[in-house]
Amino acid sequence: MRELSADIVIIGGGAGGFAAAVAACEAGRRVVMTEPTDWIGGQFTSQAVPPDEHRWVEDGIGNRSYIDLRRAVRQWYRTNRTLTPSAAAHERLNPGNGWVSHLCAEPRVWHAVMMEKLRPHVEAGRLTLVLEHEPVKVEMRGDRIDAVYLRGTRDTGSAAVVRGKVVLDATETGDLYELGGIEHLIGAEHQNDFGEMHGRTDRADWRDQQGISWCFALEHRPGEDHTIAKPAAYEWWRSYVPTICREPGLAGAAWPGTLLSWTVASHNEAGKHTFPFVPWPHEPRNGEWEMWRYRRIVDRAIYLEQQAAQHPPHPDVCLVNWVQMDYWQRPLLGVSAADRALALREAREQSLCLLYWMQTEAPRPSGVGMQEGVGFPGLKLRGDELGTSDGFAKAAYIREPRRLLARTMLSESHLGTEQRRRDGKPNMDFVPPGMNEKTGRLGMGEAFPDSIAIGHYTLDLHPSCSGRNSVYVPASPYRIPLGSLVPVRVENLIAAGKGIGVTHVANGCSRMHHTEYAIGEAAGVLAAECVEKKLSPAAVHASAERVKGLQERLAARGVAMRWPWEG
């Protein structure tokens, strides 16, 4: 068995793990980082989800390294692709021009840029990457993690053990917590557990986990037939009407019809919304939000090669991550390995069923130059941008991990606009820059004195495995407290991703790309501080002087720990 040791061990190479590795290596620490896929980047790359970000990121508000990463992605396109002059000159180039994100770029480009950021540390011997390996065992010595055992995900006969002075959990599902018997939470809490407005009113429910999604990419070839074989479960999914519903007093509405439909549940007065689907080469009506361009990752119109016969044309590429493919039939956490594998298989099957429905039965829109009828047989799975041969992401998109029982638990009371206004918290009539007076009174989140990051997104909980519908309510721009990264007991563990100390409800906005990245960067700096000064994370958190020293170190890196308007 291969044995590895380092100052800092990072288990999980997603957005948080990547940011932690860069920060720790730049602090001069030796780092081992593991990752179950062959790509670094998690949500950005192997899960193929264009970044859901806060609305002020384009104004440069956020961690300096994150703003630099976004800038490097744009520069990659200018350097490696032949863009039209207007596209190349656009300061805020959006390569896919998807309307959900300011930077809908190809997952393979995010991966290439991230790997280039890691390259000097790998070459210098500071960073060892162990790709295609997952944790299978955690060996504890008292209240410390002594070793993490790994198994190959592609070559299951490959095995390794890693040891470090400090261990970071940056996994997509909080794997180390379960393997090490480390205190954590899964599912949804009762309202009274953390005093949350949108907590459950009946009981805590471990099955109340947000659905997962297996994303895929499509191009459209009109006049061709790329219909896939009919999936075995198609007839079931074709007629499936979700029985999912809202609890009394909670946001959400009963489902308006079959799941495979362009009409989905919504939080408007009607309780539903119909999104048209207008694939290239047709164009939607002006101002119309439609699904082809929702998360499009390649906009062929930005490429000069489209006019050059010697170059193969770039196709428009749509990244499919829609609620119609949210899988909530079985939970992913708190179950056996066999049940977890079954849930992943069924999630992928559901995505295939959605595709088959689109190819064969989905209504075509009227008024956009398309022949009326049903089905888009020219839709073709495309894996180039996702690094796969089958057009599917390398891994399922996981919104909700196991969540650490931490010294501070981030909850709706700290960031939920409605709850904070109800509870009489200060500054709740504040309108952040760029918001309007009518709908933009988001207020301010809890001003944690031990803040190590900031984040913002609507509190967005997807339908869950317990049968509870989505929650979609405003959130205040918030801070992430250092205490949410530090376990209540284990001495050398730091949360470095989505699995911080956060409730099920608050995870609805803390799970986004930019926040996970910021958490990871802070975790990497904290880990370096602990190694250098021979301190535990809890010892840093317990001392106001040490917290201040850590924050000064973070500030020197350009880490945002408060919003500019907070003073």
Side-chain angles (χ1 to χ4, degrees):
M1 180 183 292
R2 185 183 181 192
E3 296 189 11
L4 298 166
S5 63
D7 296 324
I8 298 165
V9 169
I10 303 171
I11 306 297
F18 164 78
V22 172
C25 287
E26 288 181 350
R29 298 297 97 200
R30 293 182 303 107
V31 177
V32 170
M33 180 165 67
T34 73
E35 163 59 30
T37 74
D38 60 344
W39 272 13
I40 295 299
Q43 295 189 69
F44 290 97
T45 59
S46 59
Q47 296 177 25
V49 181
D52 295 300
E53 301 171 305
H54 67 73
R55 64 179 298 139
W56 305 279
V57 69
E58 290 290 352
D59 299 324
I61 297 176
N63 288 14
R64 182 170 62 212
S65 66
Y66 185 71
I67 302 301
D68 288 345
L69 176 67
R70 299 175 85 257
R71 188 179 297 117
V73 168
R74 286 175 166 143
Q75 188 56 44
W76 188 98
Y77 279 92
R78 297 185 182 104
T79 301
N80 296 282
R81 299 281 175 80
T82 308
L83 307 179
T84 64
S86 61
H90 201 308
E91 181 183 5
R92 297 184 174 183
L93 171 67
N94 189 344
N97 280 315
W99 53 265
V100 75
S101 171
H102 298 289
L103 193 51
C104 280
E106 302 161 43
R108 63 178 171 183
V109 174
W110 283 104
H111 173 65
V113 171
M114 288 179 172
M115 288 302 293
E116 184 60 24
K117 297 280 187 183
L118 295 179
R119 182 178 58 81
H121 304 300
V122 173
E123 292 178 350
R126 288 185 294 272
L127 175 62
T128 300
L129 293 177
V130 185
L131 302 179
E132 297 183 301
H133 280 74
E134 63 183 356
V136 292
K137 178 183 175 183
V138 169
E139 195 169 83
M140 303 292 297
R141 181 169 296 179
D143 288 338
R144 294 181 61 83
I145 295 177
D146 184 61
V148 179
Y149 291 78
L150 309 171
R151 180 179 60 206
T153 53
R154 183 186 298 269
D155 176 8
T156 56
S158 177
V161 58
V162 291
R163 292 181 171 87
K165 298 171 184 175
V166 180
V167 178
L168 277 57
D169 187 311
T171 63
E172 300 299 324
T173 51
D175 297 340
L176 299 189
Y177 309 155
E178 181 180 56
L179 293 172
I182 298 163
E183 295 81 357
H184 66 278
L185 304 171
I186 60 172
E189 298 83 18
H190 187 272
Q191 273 188 346
N192 295 338
D193 290 341
F194 294 96
E196 293 182 298
M197 177 184 287
H198 291 93
R200 292 186 67 95
T201 59
D202 53 355
R203 67 188 186 286
D205 188 346
W206 71 273
R207 291 179 58 88
D208 198 340
Q209 305 170 26
Q210 293 184 73
I212 65 174
S213 301
W214 209 307
C215 303
F216 58 93
L218 296 171
E219 60 178 300
H220 186 224
R221 298 187 178 185
E224 299 180 11
D225 188 348
H226 294 281
T227 305
I228 63 172
K230 183 178 178 180
Y234 180 70
E235 289 301 326
W236 189 89
W237 283 107
R238 179 177 181 270
S239 59
Y240 172 59
V241 177
T243 55
I244 207 159
C245 62
R246 66 185 179 95
E247 284 188 88
L250 293 185
W255 213 264
T258 57
L259 182 63
L260 298 186
S261 169
W262 297 130
T263 300
V264 299
S266 178
H267 298 274
N268 56 21
E269 289 186 10
K272 61 183 179 181
H273 189 93
T274 300
F275 290 95
F277 180 69
V278 187
W280 177 90
H282 300 281
E283 292 290 333
R285 300 174 183 87
N286 286 338
E288 184 173 60
W289 287 6
E290 58 81 42
M291 300 309 288
W292 179 264
R293 291 156 187 81
Y294 175 51
R295 292 186 182 271
R296 182 174 60 181
I297 55 175
V298 180
D299 178 6
R300 74 193 308 272
I302 73 170
Y303 291 102
L304 199 61
E305 295 101 306
Q306 305 304 133
Q307 290 80 44
Q310 68 269 30
H311 292 285
H314 283 270
D316 248 40
V317 180
C318 166
L319 192 284
V320 181
N321 175 22
W322 309 335
V323 71
Q324 295 95 325
M325 55 192 278
D326 280 6
Y327 174 84
W328 58 70
Q329 304 303 316
R330 301 175 191 273
L332 197 66
L333 308 177
V335 298
S336 67
D339 284 344
R340 173 184 166 88
L342 178 59
L344 290 169
R345 287 197 304 272
E346 289 184 349
R348 189 181 178 94
E349 176 86 351
Q350 179 180 345
S351 292
L352 279 172
C353 290
L354 171 61
L355 171 59
Y356 186 77
W357 174 80
M358 293 164 64
Q359 291 173 324
T360 60
E361 296 192 85
R364 301 186 199 122
S366 60
V368 293
M370 297 187 70
Q371 182 180 355
E372 292 190 13
V374 298
F376 301 85
L379 294 176
K380 183 178 185 295
L381 284 165
R382 181 177 173 87
D384 300 45
E385 290 75 18
L386 278 56
T388 63
S389 60
D390 60 10
F392 275 76
K394 292 174 178 286
Y397 173 36
I398 301 188
R399 297 177 175 88
E400 183 174 342
R402 300 173 184 89
R403 292 164 283 113
L404 181 67
L405 192 59
R407 291 169 67 94
T408 304
M409 294 299 293
L410 185 67
S411 73
E412 187 179 8
S413 67
H414 301 128
L415 50 75
T417 299
E418 294 176 352
Q419 175 165 348
R420 290 180 64 77
R421 184 171 292 126
R422 182 201 69 180
D423 294 347
K425 299 296 184 180
N427 303 311
M428 290 314 296
D429 284 329
F430 177 74
V431 180
M435 307 291 288
N436 65 60
E437 290 284 334
K438 183 177 180 180
T439 61
R441 293 186 179 277
L442 298 179
M444 297 185 189
E446 188 74 16
F448 288 107
D450 64 336
S451 174
I452 46 79
I454 60 173
H456 181 256
Y457 198 78
T458 298
L459 204 160
D460 181 13
L461 291 170
H462 282 236
S464 86
C465 302
S466 71
R468 188 164 70 151
N469 207 342
S470 59
V471 174
Y472 194 79
V473 294
S476 305
Y478 57 87
R479 301 183 186 184
I480 300 289
L482 171 62
S484 66
L485 278 62
V486 183
V488 294
R489 177 179 59 86
V490 177
E491 298 173 359
N492 66 333
L493 173 69
I494 301 172
K498 289 176 288 196
I500 60 170
V502 63
T503 65
H504 167 79
V505 174
N507 166 260
C509 52
S510 68
R511 62 185 173 83
M512 302 306 170
H513 302 63
H514 62 285
T515 311
E516 182 186 357
Y517 179 100
I519 290 166
E521 182 167 8
V525 175
L526 173 61
E529 180 89 349
C530 290
V531 170
E532 292 163 14
K533 297 184 178 179
K534 296 181 173 59
L535 294 169
S536 69
V540 174
H541 181 245
S543 164
E545 182 180 354
R546 288 169 180 162
V547 169
K548 182 180 178 183
L550 176 68
Q551 290 172 325
E552 290 173 351
R553 186 168 183 168
L554 290 167
R557 286 187 56 83
V559 170
M561 290 169 281
R562 62 171 56 199
W563 293 91
W565 49 81
E566 290 185 290

